[in-house]
Amino acid sequence: MTQLDTVAHAAETPDTEQPFRELGLKDDEYARIREILGRRPTDAELAMYSVMWSEHCSYKSSKVHWKHWSANTTPEMKAKMLAGIGENAGVVDIGDGWAATFKLESHNHPSYVEPYQGAATGVGGIVRDIMAMGARPLAVMDPLRFGAADHPDTRRVLPGVVAGVGGYGNCLGLPNIGGEVVFDPSYQGNPLVNALCVGAMRAEDLHLAHASGTGNKVILFGARTGLDGIGGVSVLASDTFSGDEGGSGRKKLPSVQVGDPFTEKVLIECCLELFAEKIVVGIQDLGGAGLSCATSELASAGDGGMRVELDKVPLRAKGMTPAEVLSSESQERMCAVVRPSDVDAFMAVCRKWDVIATEIGEVTEGDRLVITWHGETVVDVPPRTVAHEGPMYERPIARPADQDALIADTPDGLTRPRGEEELAATLMRMVASPNLASRRWVTQQYDRYVRGGTVLAQPSDTGMIRIDEETGRGVALATDCNARFVKLDPYQGTQLALAEAYRNVAVSGATPLAVTNCLNFGSPEDPGVMWQFEQAVRGLAEGCKELGIPVTGGNVSFYNQTGTTAILPTPVVGVLGVIDDVRDRVPTGLGAGQTLLLLGETHDEFGGSEWANVVHGHLGGTPPKVDLAREKLLAEVLAEGARSGLLAAAHDLSDGGLAQALVEACLLGDVGASVTLADDQDAFVQLFSESAGRVLVAVPRPEEMRFTELCAARGLPWRKTGTVDDESDALEIAGVGAFALADLRAAWEGTLPALFD
Amino acid sequence: MARVVVDVMPKPEILDPQGQAVARALPRLGFDGISDVRQGKHFELEVADDVDDETLAKIAVGLLSNPVIEDFVVRRVGQE
Amino acid sequence: MARVVVDVMPKPEILDPQGQAVARALPRLGFDGISDVRQGKHFELEVADDVDDETLAKIAVGLLSNPVIEDFVVRRVGQE
Amino acid sequence: MKVGVITFPGTLDDVDAQRAVRYADAEAVALWHGDTDLRGVDAVIVPGGFSYGDYLRCGAIARFAPVMQPVVDAARKGMPVLGICNGFQILCEAGLLPGALTRNSSLHFVCRDQWLRVENTETPWTTRYEEGAEIMVPLKSGEGGYRAQKSTVDELEGEGRVVFRYAGGNPNGSVNDIAGVCSANGRVVGLMPHPEHAIDALTGPTDHGLAMFKSLVESVVAA
Ligand SMILES: Nc1ncnc2c1ncn2[C@@H]1O[C@H](COP(=O)(O)OP(=O)(O)O)[C@@H](O)[C@H]1O
Ligand SMILES: [Mg+2]
């Protein structure tokens, strides 16, 4: 074995060539590390800096745009947040002493390489983020994007991803309460696997990740550390270990991690017991960048330094180097800071749950992170320089040259269906199209019942869970993003995503409260992509200000592209709402004795619509207009309607327009309806336009007057569109046709099974 | 007809939660002396005589195993 | 130390949906001549030399397989 | 009356089973996998989940947990025991119920609202149902296909020990559409679907499952 690259050795050998470029560091970044340390970094330090300064961990291309969040967060918005951007996950006050925490994260690239494990570990990672706030994870959601539905590789990726999301989440005992499945050829070589977790805790139990109190112990607990996900860092291993069996062979290590949901389930229960006994000073999950991230973040957030004896880390593989141990992304691990007097109690809880726990270091005076390996110092760094003071780039921004042409290519000239027969045929074709068809093939692989708190889940517009069994207090969540809209106008398109998620939460009867996001984009080195990104961030931040709900956190995923072609810009927005009593929730499906009303206004808006996509393969023009004031008003009326029992059902209008909403509401309620369109507007526009700010509501017939008076008083446009007809087993649209529920169901539910069974 | 056996195992560096679950259970059940367990899949195929080794390897790599995380071994075990 | 292999297979009369799924997929992928596929589990154990065959059989029947639906075979494959 | 609900590492639906017991006005007593006695309970529920991860075979490891010995002993003496989903798998592995549960024929995990026909209303868990009644409760499992030797199946059918049968389509390939069975003395019942998730239409598809827990309370009080 060659010599261990200690700090002393590094100081003596300043001229040693280091493979920093292979590790993804630029020349000036490497130079800065040398400057910070006043010498060359050791192998272990280089491993730490290179992972922590990667785009994924350092947000080096996106951070400069965070100014939009702060500039658009008013004091009232701030007041709702118990923890915001910068913590593992945002935390909001939901009343009665309860706090909810939620976050979205991406696991896109690993899920393309190995769909099952990539998706599974994506779920596992986001759940640990929620645990790191001191909360009990309560539910997950999975916004997904795939290539063309009928592309052969989608048959590999989609079933694997879905099985992975289900395999992990089901085994963890977290209900899956919603998500998205969207197909577009731009995701062919780069599917998006985003995962959301929501948790809750008593507000006073909030735990923040920091290591304070000199003498406090650092304990690593959970799974053993193996060679998972250290693909990049193995260039260091092969240097130090060249020749021996663990050496060059390791270069070929796949960066795939395998999830062990059972270990994570036990870890959750173990953590909750530790929190309950109040024996944790600080806690941090181990995700991307493993121990490099956990130790440097804990240390830099605390009030002292930290000393870690890395050789104490329980390993799963033989002959691992310090660099490998530091960068391993083995799953299902957490790191806690514990007072010395509590260590025995801590260990006892871990033993009860059969969780491996090892004291690996302590909080020290001073401000250095010092890591030793069998007594020799291999890392000695200021932790902030690793965790927070990474490079920051002001990437060039340029509106793409072809943006104008894209906008000029409006859908106005596309041939529209005329007459009853064509309209009816279009409706049937749309209902069965991959983006509008039922998601049941996917969602029936997910447990939505576990823990007994699920009040709404797929196929409802929103997922809702009960937090407090006594009072019925609960939260509702929706995620959305129509990336075709974002492509046409990133600013407005992102606001449309926000508006849709907000509206989806509102139709359940909940009041929207806070926002998270997962910004999936192409390469930040492409000025056109950076323009999309900047517009999206600004659109989201300014939209949130207008709605009065803060962005509490999120995630950025760059370099999503196939070859040099970027994905459609996909800023997925998640909105969390609160409902005082989940018994007031509003379902999506219709029922007998209801009158149908359409709230909002319909315009001739087909830019980026699903109709233009399905029927003409067209993407151009401008997306529907956003009116956030209208969305806010809608939400207020819906919340009031739900509270006073005026709403029997509600379904928001989005992809596919009114036609799609009617079909879904009938099928979910298993009842027919008779619908009359307005005679002062084109039937096609009324059925398929995707104008924002609209909701289909069903009110009990006796309450019709009260509800419409409420709308009138608040200045919300409404129109009666029909009645539920539970005697009939068809959706009848005057002037368009009668659609038997059985035919609609066969068309709507048949598509995904035909593609993926 | 020949019988062909394909054993598929997680690659050595890949976590094997299944094998570990068994390994942890054994001492609890009073069985000592087993230091490691790995769990994989075992396939038995009835194969026509004209199917060559190359085809079998293709089947093993393309369908029976996931080359990203698993290794496999193909054996012909008998004639029928 | 010895390496011991245990193969666990569904009993012939028990339906094997996994094996059948493979068998159905093969012709679709252009592989002909495979008339039957059965899928089971393959365990590899690192065993101390003093663990006798009787103990191994107990482990196989009591833990690694379910005698209601599965058969098993134990093999010692090598010394280390 | 007290009903024990066992938690193994990896058990998930224990909170739900406890809630169902409370909804039936009985006291739920948490039993830990390492317990060696049953704390004076009158009945035991082995809830759903993935005990020990269920990586090897569902229920294979859990059946050896210390708490299972007193459960087996008590069941043989006639204590009512209910195994739901993973609990059913564990009771089969432990030999309290015949047969075994295997991979769904679709090879996918399936979560759906499932109609069941109640075929035996004499067990302590089913007295509140009418024979032939159809109930809807969630089914959520990847290995729910019931299998047994033909002679065993014949015996179960002959003795009326099929307690629940899937109605409106077989979701997992179970032989004879069997969703749940009971022991020879009728005291031990196991089923794949989840009655504890159907005790309130707010959080489940229906409240049809609550009658199972109420049946138990009635049976034990009457005894
Ligand atoms: N990947 C998924 N995981 C869980 N639920 C999903 C997933 N994809 C879609 N759903 C659910 O299916 C339903 C329909 O989805 P979608 O049409 O995208 O809803 P919406 O248009 O209201 O946002 C919703 O309840 C949604 O949460
Ligand atoms: Mg919706």
Side-chain angles (χ1 to χ4, degrees):
Chain A
M1 200 190 281
T2 42
Q3 191 188 354
L4 183 68
D5 193 20
T6 63
V7 166
H9 181 247
E12 286 160 14
T13 52
D15 300 326
T16 303
E17 290 268 337
Q18 295 191 283
F20 63 88
R21 287 195 200 91
E22 288 90 322
L23 291 169
L25 288 167
K26 299 272 182 329
D27 292 16
D28 55 335
E29 291 172 345
Y30 177 67
R32 229 191 98 207
I33 296 169
R34 293 189 71 125
E35 191 187 317
I36 290 168
L37 299 176
R39 58 175 163 78
R40 74 160 175 90
T42 63
D43 282 355
E45 288 165 341
L46 188 60
M48 281 184 97
Y49 278 105
S50 66
V51 274
M52 290 301 290
W53 286 13
S54 68
E55 185 65 59
H56 178 69
C57 294
S58 73
Y59 293 93
K60 58 186 166 194
S61 302
S62 48
K63 245 191 205 156
V64 294
H65 300 288
W66 285 182
K67 58 178 185 267
H68 296 302
W69 305 140
S70 38
N72 289 289
T73 306
T74 63
E76 300 87 79
M77 286 158 74
K78 213 172 237 151
K80 295 180 196 163
M81 281 194 276
L82 304 175
I85 293 171
E87 296 298 339
N88 284 305
V91 183
V92 285
D93 183 346
I94 57 165
D96 288 350
W98 286 101
T101 173
F102 71 127
K103 191 181 178 197
L104 257 171
E105 205 162 75
S106 66
H107 224 221
N108 304 339
H109 300 115
S111 302
Y112 181 64
V113 177
E114 189 356 64
Y116 184 100
Q117 296 297 344
T121 52
V123 172
I126 189 66
V127 169
R128 285 192 300 280
D129 267 319
I130 295 305
M131 272 150 62
M133 302 310 294
R136 173 181 274 285
L138 290 173
V140 295
M141 297 174 89
D142 59 329
L144 309 175
R145 304 287 185 283
F146 301 99
D150 55 1
H151 190 288
D153 198 46
T154 305
R155 258 195 94 103
R156 169 186 76 96
V157 178
L158 183 143
V161 164
V162 169
V165 169
Y168 205 99
N170 295 343
C171 186
L172 216 51
L174 291 178
N176 184 308
I177 59 169
E180 297 166 75
V181 177
V182 179
F183 300 97
D184 185 276
S186 77
Y187 306 112
Q188 199 62 65
N190 196 121
L192 303 185
V193 175
N194 293 177
L196 178 148
C197 183
V198 58
M201 68 195 117
R202 300 298 298 169
E204 69 268 18
D205 293 337
L206 174 61
H207 279 76
L208 296 181
H210 53 64
S212 37
T214 302
N216 282 344
K217 302 299 179 189
V218 179
I219 299 179
L220 177 67
F221 62 120
R224 289 172 178 274
T225 299
L227 289 165
D228 321 54
I230 60 167
V233 169
S234 48
V235 300
L236 287 168
S238 58
D239 271 11
T240 359
F241 281 79
S242 49
D244 82 8
E245 114 181 76
S248 45
R250 278 198 201 164
K251 261 194 184 162
K252 293 188 232 92
L253 275 188
S255 57
V256 173
Q257 301 129 46
V258 169
D260 178 356
F262 168 66
T263 295
E264 179 125 322
K265 164 66 181 170
V266 171
L267 198 55
I268 293 177
E269 299 305 328
C270 179
C271 278
L272 289 167
E273 197 165 322
L274 292 168
F275 295 150
E277 301 202 357
K278 309 213 181 297
I279 40 184
V280 183
V281 176
I283 187 156
Q284 172 74 42
D285 59 301
L286 274 74
L291 273 168
S292 295
C293 178
T295 53
S296 63
E297 288 199 346
L298 275 172
S300 57
D303 53 14
M306 190 186 282
R307 185 174 182 84
V308 174
E309 292 176 69
L310 200 61
D311 48 286
K312 293 218 174 137
V313 171
L315 300 180
R316 211 178 69 226
K318 289 196 194 95
M320 286 179 74
T321 65
E324 288 174 335
V325 176
L326 279 170
S327 24
S328 161
E329 296 191 347
S330 287
Q331 302 288 299
E332 294 96 19
R333 297 177 299 162
M334 302 284 286
C335 201
V337 176
V338 180
R339 281 178 292 270
S341 54
D342 289 331
V343 168
D344 286 346
F346 188 102
M347 295 298 179
V349 172
C350 290
R351 261 196 309 278
K352 168 178 168 194
W353 288 100
D354 214 357
V355 167
I356 303 171
T358 316
E359 197 182 303
I360 60 166
E362 65 180 30
V363 178
T364 54
E365 275 180 33
D367 54 5
R368 305 289 288 188
L369 170 60
V370 175
I371 299 179
T372 61
W373 182 253
H374 297 290
E376 302 206 62
T377 302
V378 291
V379 172
D380 183 353
V381 296
R384 282 200 65 81
T385 65
V386 180
H388 300 297
E389 288 161 9
M392 207 155 109
Y393 293 132
E394 189 108 28
R395 301 275 192 196
I397 290 178
R399 188 167 182 273
D402 55 4
Q403 194 72 21
D404 284 331
L406 189 65
I407 293 171
D409 179 21
T410 70
D412 299 346
L414 302 176
T415 311
R416 299 180 171 194
R418 290 281 166 238
E420 269 187 48
E421 236 165 72
E422 283 184 25
L423 282 169
T426 303
L427 184 145
M428 291 305 292
R429 178 167 173 196
M430 295 287 288
V431 160
S433 64
N435 282 336
L436 298 181
S438 166
R439 269 63 193 115
R440 197 173 129 107
W441 188 90
V442 171
T443 59
Q444 76 172 0
Q445 297 186 44
Y446 302 155
D447 182 351
R448 60 182 178 278
Y449 286 114
V450 62
R451 299 200 68 76
T454 306
V455 175
L456 295 174
Q458 51 273 19
S460 291
D461 281 318
T462 175
M464 184 184 286
I465 44 172
R466 180 171 62 188
I467 302 281
D468 188 326
E469 287 200 37
E470 301 287 302
T471 64
R473 178 165 299 274
V475 295
L477 279 146
T479 71
D480 278 295
C481 179
N482 184 328
R484 296 163 52 80
F485 292 167
V486 183
K487 170 83 177 175
L488 298 180
D489 182 340
Y491 181 90
Q492 192 158 314
T494 305
Q495 293 200 334
L496 283 164
L498 169 67
E500 188 180 346
Y502 180 91
R503 196 183 322 125
N504 275 321
V505 165
V507 295
S508 73
T511 302
L513 198 67
V515 174
T516 186
N517 64 71
C518 187
L519 308 176
N520 305 274
F521 286 80
S523 166
E525 295 160 43
D526 174 341
V529 168
M530 269 329 271
W531 173 77
Q532 293 172 332
F533 182 80
E534 200 263 349
Q535 293 281 310
V537 171
R538 213 160 50 75
L540 182 58
E542 292 177 7
C544 285
K545 183 178 187 182
E546 190 163 350
L547 293 173
I549 55 177
V551 174
T552 63
N555 178 246
V556 178
S557 172
F558 278 130
Y559 299 103
N560 293 289
Q561 53 197 42
T562 307
T564 53
T565 312
I567 58 162
L568 290 178
T570 313
V572 174
V573 179
V575 170
L576 175 132
V578 61
I579 183 164
D580 294 341
D581 188 341
V582 292
R583 275 166 292 211
D584 293 336
R585 92 277 184 214
V586 180
T588 310
L590 304 177
Q594 297 168 359
T595 298
L596 297 178
L597 305 172
L598 177 60
L599 311 183
E601 289 160 293
T602 306
H603 305 285
D604 188 333
E605 294 178 302
F606 287 92
S609 68
E610 204 53 43
W611 170 77
N613 180 37
V614 170
V615 176
H616 297 283
H618 177 269
L619 175 61
T622 50
K625 270 189 284 306
V626 208
D627 179 350
L628 293 173
R630 169 61 59 79
E631 302 286 353
K632 218 169 156 178
L633 175 60
L634 249 181
E636 284 165 13
V637 168
L638 289 166
E640 194 171 330
R643 242 189 333 263
S644 36
L646 299 179
L647 280 183
H651 190 16
D652 90 302
L653 268 58
S654 57
D655 315 51
L658 177 64
Q660 185 70 19
L662 285 168
V663 170
E664 289 175 359
C666 285
L667 289 178
L668 297 182
D670 207 9
V671 288
S674 11
V675 171
T676 328
L677 299 175
D679 43 22
D680 57 355
Q681 195 177 29
D682 179 59
F684 165 74
V685 171
Q686 291 186 66
L687 286 172
F688 298 105
S689 164
E690 296 185 6
S691 294
R694 298 180 303 159
V695 172
L696 178 72
V697 299
V699 297
R701 282 196 196 180
E703 306 288 7
E704 191 182 324
M705 291 287 285
R706 269 176 72 201
F707 187 79
T708 54
E709 276 162 17
L710 170 65
C711 293
R714 303 296 306 265
L716 179 65
W718 60 273
R719 204 177 66 68
K720 182 164 171 178
T721 40
T723 50
V724 173
D725 185 354
D726 56 315
E727 303 280 275
S728 139
D729 45 15
L731 165 63
E732 283 185 57
I733 307 176
V736 180
F739 303 88
L741 293 187
D743 294 344
L744 289 172
R745 194 178 297 283
W748 189 55
E749 289 186 352
T751 305
L752 294 196
L755 286 164
F756 300 111
D757 260 344
Chain B
M1 285 302 246
R3 164 156 306 183
V4 171
V5 164
V6 181
D7 288 321
V8 175
M9 293 298 284
K11 283 185 199 284
E13 69 272 15
I14 291 276
L15 178 70
D16 171 22
Q18 316 186 68
Q20 300 223 322
V22 174
R24 273 198 306 266
L26 285 168
R28 275 206 308 270
L29 305 184
F31 296 112
D32 293 317
I34 292 148
S35 58
D36 189 35
V37 181
R38 295 188 70 79
Q39 178 177 339
K41 294 175 201 140
H42 178 83
F43 294 90
E44 296 184 2
L45 288 69
E46 298 299 330
V47 173
D49 294 329
D50 61 350
V51 177
D52 59 13
D53 289 354
E54 202 186 323
T55 306
L56 289 175
K58 270 195 204 148
I59 292 173
V61 79
L63 191 61
L64 305 184
S65 74
N66 176 348
V68 180
I69 51 174
E70 293 168 331
D71 294 327
F72 65 88
V73 179
V74 180
R75 279 181 296 143
R76 293 182 183 258
V77 293
Q79 222 61 30
E80 261 176 42
Chain C
M1 285 301 244
R3 166 156 304 181
V4 171
V5 164
V6 181
D7 288 321
V8 174
M9 293 299 285
K11 280 187 198 287
E13 67 272 21
I14 293 284
L15 190 75
D16 170 22
Q18 309 189 87
Q20 298 209 330
V22 174
R24 271 196 311 270
L26 285 168
R28 268 209 312 267
L29 302 179
F31 296 113
D32 294 317
I34 293 146
S35 57
D36 188 37
V37 181
R38 296 189 69 77
Q39 178 175 341
K41 295 175 195 143
H42 178 84
F43 298 90
E44 295 185 3
L45 287 69
E46 298 297 328
V47 173
D49 294 330
D50 61 349
V51 176
D52 58 14
D53 289 353
E54 202 185 323
T55 307
L56 290 176
K58 269 195 203 147
I59 292 173
V61 77
L63 184 65
L64 302 184
S65 73
N66 177 348
V68 176
I69 47 169
E70 293 167 329
D71 295 326
F72 67 89
V73 180
V74 180
R75 280 181 296 144
R76 291 184 183 256
V77 293
Q79 221 62 27
E80 261 177 44
Chain D
M1 84 160 274
K2 293 180 177 175
V3 182
V5 176
I6 301 180
T7 301
F8 299 94
T11 294
L12 306 177
D13 302 310
D14 44 353
V15 283
D16 302 74
Q18 288 170 5
R19 185 185 299 112
V21 166
R22 289 197 305 272
Y23 274 42
D25 294 320
E27 182 189 342
V29 176
L31 297 176
W32 183 239
H33 68 118
D35 286 349
T36 46
D37 82 286
L38 298 182
R39 300 170 185 240
V41 298
D42 304 291
V44 168
I45 299 176
V46 190
F50 293 77
S51 51
Y52 303 92
D54 274 350
Y55 296 128
L56 169 61
R57 195 176 61 249
C58 298
I61 294 180
R63 76 169 249 231
F64 293 107
V67 73
M68 286 309 290
Q69 193 55 50
V71 169
V72 169
D73 294 343
R76 298 240 146 96
K77 289 190 200 120
M79 177 186 278
V81 175
L82 175 66
I84 305 169
C85 194
N86 192 219
F88 183 19
Q89 294 162 337
I90 293 168
L91 296 181
C92 288
E93 285 278 338
L96 282 177
L97 290 171
L101 282 309
T102 60
R103 194 81 189 270
N104 291 349
S105 48
S106 67
L107 302 183
H108 294 301
F109 186 96
V110 79
C111 174
R112 72 184 211 188
D113 301 337
Q114 176 69 45
W115 285 102
L116 302 178
R117 200 164 46 250
V118 186
E119 305 226 322
N120 175 336
T121 57
E122 320 243 289
T123 81
W125 303 93
T126 51
T127 52
R128 278 242 183 167
Y129 295 106
E130 303 271 334
E131 197 171 319
E134 297 209 340
I135 62 174
M136 181 191 266
V137 302
L139 173 77
K140 31 167 240 186
S141 42
E143 304 196 10
Y146 186 76
R147 305 257 164 252
Q149 307 263 331
K150 177 150 191 325
S151 56
T152 309
V153 175
D154 291 344
E155 189 181 311
L156 288 172
E157 294 286 2
E159 294 175 1
R161 286 166 57 196
V162 173
V163 182
F164 298 100
R165 222 184 282 276
Y166 297 114
N170 184 327
N172 50 26
S174 287
V175 59
N176 291 9
D177 299 336
I178 291 174
V181 300
C182 66
S183 57
N185 66 5
R187 309 296 286 174
V188 181
V189 170
L191 77 168
M192 285 312 294
H194 289 260
E196 83 285 18
H197 290 322
I199 58 168
D200 181 348
L202 179 69
T203 50
T206 62
D207 62 0
H208 299 165
L210 187 56
M212 280 188 73
F213 304 93
K214 291 195 163 165
S215 297
L216 172 76
V217 172
E218 250 173 33
S219 313
V220 170
V221 169

